[in-house]
Amino acid sequence: MEIKGSTNVVGLIGHPVEHSFSPPMHNAAFNKLNMDYVYTAFDVNPNDLKTAIVGADALNIKGFNVTIPHKIEVMKYLNEIDEVAKLIGAVNTIDFKNLKGYNTDGIGAIKAIGEVTNVKNKNVVIAGAGGASRAISFYLAKYGVDQLTILNRNVEKAQKLANDVLDSELIDNVESDSINNMNLSDADILINTTPVGMHPNVDDVPIAQAGDMHDNLVVFDAVYNPNETGLLKQAIEAGAKPVYGIKMLLYQGAESFEIWTGKKAPIDVMQEALIKYLGL
Ligand code: ATR
């Protein structure tokens, strides 16, 4: 990659950012397509967020990814927010063409699952009710899921998210319960958004008993370290189809890439860069 006077800059803002997988993934894509772009990461202190956005706009930066702790706060400084991102209440992508915010995390999950099955008309169980679950739940509703059950350790949080998703009127059928009451016998898709099973606690699984996993089930685990979590191992053993967490990272990035550049993202190259960077 040759950086020139004409090179377009995109990047990540967060605090911290130094362990991000996004720079290698996006730069591999720009290289592959011979595009005059570079992706870098900016550690932005929360107190400097507004200055960073105004400054980036003035510097003609083309796009940002946004990560913790700025995903909610940054919305104040944008001109426009995508409809679903507004419902989610968080953005992870900014397009400086119109200073518009998007949330590609949820689309990333839908596309990851989409490699195996279409979510339309499906019965989906989602574990967790935090930021990732929220982003994915609204996209599941938008993409026509028939029934959504949100399970969480803190049941009130699951109820609140279920009510918010119902209020969007994108879906009629949303339930909530304790994560200990998971029942998969009627489910088509199980999604884990909790950190349970993440390195170093690789033997932990977010469900009490995997007994009702079945071979028509698709199991997506948003945990990507390790690549094959305990939950995915159980799924494979039960004959269910696994969807690996790395795919969500890949597709959220691909979606951001397409928003900024208008070009189709080179998925294979981005995946290869991710696997290499994460050592999977
Ligand atoms: P993220 O942005 O990754 O979703 P988050 O907003 O902090 O992160 O949400 C983490 C989710 O994982 C929450 O639903 C949390 O459950 P609680 O609301 O009950 O805290 C869930 N979670 C975290 N650790 C967990 C554990 N050990 N067992 C079960 N659920 C857990």
Side-chain angles (χ1 to χ4, degrees):
M1 173 184 301
E2 193 191 345
I3 297 178
K4 300 174 287 193
S6 56
T7 302
N8 297 294
V9 178
V10 292
L12 169 70
I13 54 167
H15 185 64
V17 293
E18 65 264 29
H19 298 300
S20 172
F21 55 83
S22 292
M25 178 172 72
H26 284 283
N27 286 320
F30 293 141
N31 266 335
K32 173 71 183 179
L33 300 185
N34 243 328
M35 292 171 72
D36 192 12
Y37 276 79
V38 65
Y39 187 113
T40 187
F42 303 96
D43 191 329
V44 175
N45 189 289
N47 294 330
D48 296 326
L49 184 58
K50 181 178 181 186
T51 316
I53 297 299
V54 174
D57 199 22
L59 291 169
N60 202 17
I61 281 177
K62 302 299 177 195
F64 273 160
N65 279 134
V66 183
T67 190
I68 291 164
H70 303 318
K71 286 183 171 190
I72 298 171
E73 196 70 10
V74 78
M75 291 194 295
K76 281 191 211 155
Y77 311 120
L78 305 180
N79 284 346
E80 217 182 318
I81 311 275
D82 164 80
E83 195 187 326
V84 187
K86 206 182 283 175
L87 291 169
I88 295 166
V91 308
N92 77 329
T93 301
I94 299 171
D95 185 357
F96 280 93
K97 276 195 289 297
N98 39 12
L99 207 55
K100 181 169 178 178
Y102 300 83
N103 191 314
T104 70
D105 289 327
I107 313 173
I110 304 290
K111 292 206 163 170
I113 295 165
E115 281 196 357
V116 175
T117 191
N118 192 323
V119 301
K120 194 169 166 60
N121 297 329
K122 297 286 163 55
N123 179 341
V124 181
V125 173
I126 186 162
S133 175
R134 194 171 169 87
I136 296 170
S137 292
F138 278 102
Y139 270 101
L140 288 168
K142 181 180 162 75
Y143 280 83
V145 156
D146 181 49
Q147 174 167 351
L148 178 61
T149 306
I150 302 169
L151 305 177
N152 201 40
R153 190 172 55 177
N154 173 341
V155 184
E156 266 174 35
K157 239 165 98 181
Q159 276 163 352
K160 159 95 173 62
L161 176 54
N163 287 336
D164 288 353
V165 177
L166 277 172
D167 283 348
S168 74
E169 296 184 358
L170 293 168
I171 181 171
D172 308 319
N173 205 348
V174 186
E175 286 170 14
S176 57
D177 205 335
S178 160
I179 196 163
N180 296 322
N181 293 338
M182 188 180 293
N183 178 347
L184 298 172
S185 47
D186 292 332
D188 302 303
I189 301 170
L190 166 66
I191 299 174
N192 173 46
T193 69
T194 77
V196 179
M198 193 183 281
H199 181 81
N201 305 313
V202 297
D203 294 327
D204 294 354
V205 286
I207 59 180
Q209 88 303 20
D212 57 357
M213 280 192 179
H214 50 82
D215 57 9
N216 283 322
L217 186 69
V218 172
V219 179
F220 167 56
D221 197 340
V223 173
Y224 59 85
N225 179 16
N227 187 44
E228 195 163 288
T229 59
L231 180 69
L232 291 182
K233 286 197 173 97
Q234 284 183 341
I236 292 164
E237 234 163 74
K241 291 185 198 70
V243 178
Y244 295 83
I246 187 178
K247 295 285 184 179
M248 180 169 162
L249 308 183
L250 174 66
Y251 284 110
Q252 64 74 30
E255 200 69 23
S256 299
F257 181 98
E258 291 176 11
I259 288 170
W260 299 322
T261 67
K263 286 202 188 320
K264 195 157 168 29
I267 295 290
D268 291 353
V269 176
M270 292 171 84
Q271 177 164 291
E272 208 177 293
L274 257 182
I275 290 172
K276 190 169 159 212
Y277 180 79
L278 297 172
L280 299 178

